[in-house]
Amino acid sequence: MGESILLKREIAKRIFAKEFEACRELEKSARSDPEAADSKVPNLLISPLGLILNRVFVVGVVTELDNIGTQGEMWKARIVDPTGAFTVYAGQYQPDASIFFSTVQVPAFIALTGKARIYEPEPDSVFVSIRAEEANVVDEEIRNRWVVDTAEQTVERLEAFSDALASGYHGEEVREYLVDKGISSELAEGISIALERERAPQEFVKLLRDSIKEGLKSLDLDGGTGAKTDQKEFVLELLREMGGNKGVDYAAFMDAAVSRGIPEQVVEEVIHALLAGGQCYEPKIGIIRLVG
């Protein structure tokens, strides 16, 4: 039984950057399962919504890539999804991922599996990252499918967490309450732990809900009809025309778009949606470049 639980927890979880960056270390003493104290059980993180994880599966746009190694290759990458960005590392002990990062061209849509890592140099200073295991270039359709699937799973987790919060139960009571409602025992346990740790859980729930809504809207950038859609298409064409391979200065682009009759608010909305959807990125501060 212990082995099956361990294998289950090693499954790579889908999680948005906004929730991932808020993860913290899950102390083995916090677990109700006595087998969790076993030294063979991997170090786990827990999100503010109670997702317990060790490995993650993410899909996004690699927008930055640097070799930061001093005595060999150590790659640091920034992978953007519609809610934020993951920090990813790959070194000599991750040869497949290192080879990938040494050859991939920025920007690109990539799918990546890796282990979650946390570093706390000081009590109020926490850095959460991914130690890459495997990465591959994918297309925009696969990225969009990951966003939709991850949004569905996150919303289900949000609903379970909100339900638990409203119930007023704690500890074993809230675990039993959630399991009776069909929630998995692992998530029920995670939620019960998260409820005790989070000082302002409702604020994070709202923040994540808003991020997901914005992220899903960004995927439908070319959808719809009417004058506003035409304006969005015009902004995209102008960005392609002015940006070329190097990108365009945001202020200069804004001036050019406004001079052609596009409202400043529409330009800001389109750029925000493109950034959130991973369709453009900032190679440098103030410079906008389309992906592809």
Side-chain angles (χ1 to χ4, degrees):
M1 180 177 176
E3 184 180 358
S4 63
I5 291 175
L6 177 58
L7 289 173
K8 181 180 179 183
R9 287 174 183 156
E10 282 282 8
I11 292 174
K13 308 287 180 67
R14 295 168 183 259
I15 185 172
F16 283 125
K18 180 72 73 176
E19 186 176 357
F20 182 71
E21 67 184 5
C23 286
R24 295 296 179 263
E25 187 173 3
L26 175 59
E27 300 84 2
K28 292 179 180 180
S29 61
R31 306 296 305 277
S32 62
D33 184 355
E35 292 178 348
D38 191 322
S39 61
K40 295 180 181 179
V41 174
N43 292 325
L44 301 171
L45 301 189
I46 184 169
S47 84
L49 299 183
L51 180 65
I52 296 173
L53 55 85
N54 171 254
R55 298 172 66 246
V56 294
F57 169 61
V58 303
V59 182
V61 180
V62 54
T63 61
E64 296 176 22
L65 184 60
D66 297 295
N67 185 358
I68 60 173
T70 55
Q71 297 180 335
E73 287 192 346
M74 171 57 78
W75 295 95
K76 178 182 179 182
R78 185 172 188 265
I79 313 297
V80 175
D81 79 2
T83 72
F86 300 92
T87 299
V88 179
Y89 294 94
Q92 60 178 323
Y93 298 112
Q94 299 80 38
D96 292 343
S98 290
I99 292 171
F100 172 81
F101 284 129
S102 70
T103 58
V104 69
Q105 296 295 309
V106 175
F109 291 107
I110 71 168
L112 180 140
T113 302
K115 289 191 175 182
R117 290 288 181 262
I118 190 165
Y119 173 54
E120 298 186 54
E122 298 174 11
D124 296 324
S125 180
V126 181
F127 300 95
V128 184
S129 64
I130 300 172
R131 185 71 68 170
E133 295 174 334
E134 183 180 355
N136 296 285
V137 172
V138 296
D139 58 25
E140 186 175 0
E141 183 179 349
I142 290 176
R143 191 286 309 268
N144 290 353
R145 172 48 52 193
W146 178 87
V147 171
V148 172
D149 290 345
T150 304
E152 290 175 350
Q153 292 183 19
T154 306
V155 168
E156 288 178 3
R157 196 157 59 250
L158 277 166
E159 295 300 328
F161 185 86
S162 298
D163 191 9
L165 194 61
S167 74
Y169 293 131
H170 294 279
E172 187 60 33
E173 284 185 328
V174 77
R175 280 197 290 271
E176 292 178 357
Y177 172 76
L178 291 171
V179 170
D180 286 344
K181 300 197 75 170
I183 304 301
S184 72
S185 58
E186 182 181 306
L187 181 57
E189 181 183 24
I191 289 175
S192 71
I193 296 170
L195 283 173
E196 300 299 323
R197 298 167 63 121
E198 290 300 310
R199 284 179 286 184
Q202 289 165 317
E203 291 180 17
F204 185 79
V205 166
K206 183 181 185 305
L207 185 69
L208 191 55
R209 281 188 190 278
D210 291 345
S211 289
I212 293 171
K213 287 179 182 178
E214 288 298 314
L216 290 175
K217 277 199 294 185
S218 74
L219 301 186
D220 194 33
L221 184 63
D222 298 324
T225 58
K228 198 162 186 178
T229 299
D230 292 339
Q231 290 177 329
K232 288 181 178 180
E233 286 294 336
F234 181 84
V235 171
L236 269 170
E237 283 303 316
L238 184 62
L239 194 54
R240 293 189 186 102
E241 177 187 323
M242 293 182 64
N245 293 325
K246 295 183 179 180
V248 63
D249 178 79
Y250 180 77
F253 178 75
M254 177 67 78
D255 289 343
V258 171
S259 71
R260 289 166 171 77
I262 305 300
E264 186 172 325
Q265 182 181 353
V266 172
V267 179
E268 289 179 347
E269 287 177 359
V270 175
I271 296 299
H272 176 76
L274 287 168
L275 287 168
Q279 292 156 292
C280 77
Y281 71 109
E282 291 183 277
K284 296 180 181 178
I285 295 176
I287 302 296
I288 304 297
R289 179 184 172 189
L290 280 170
V291 172

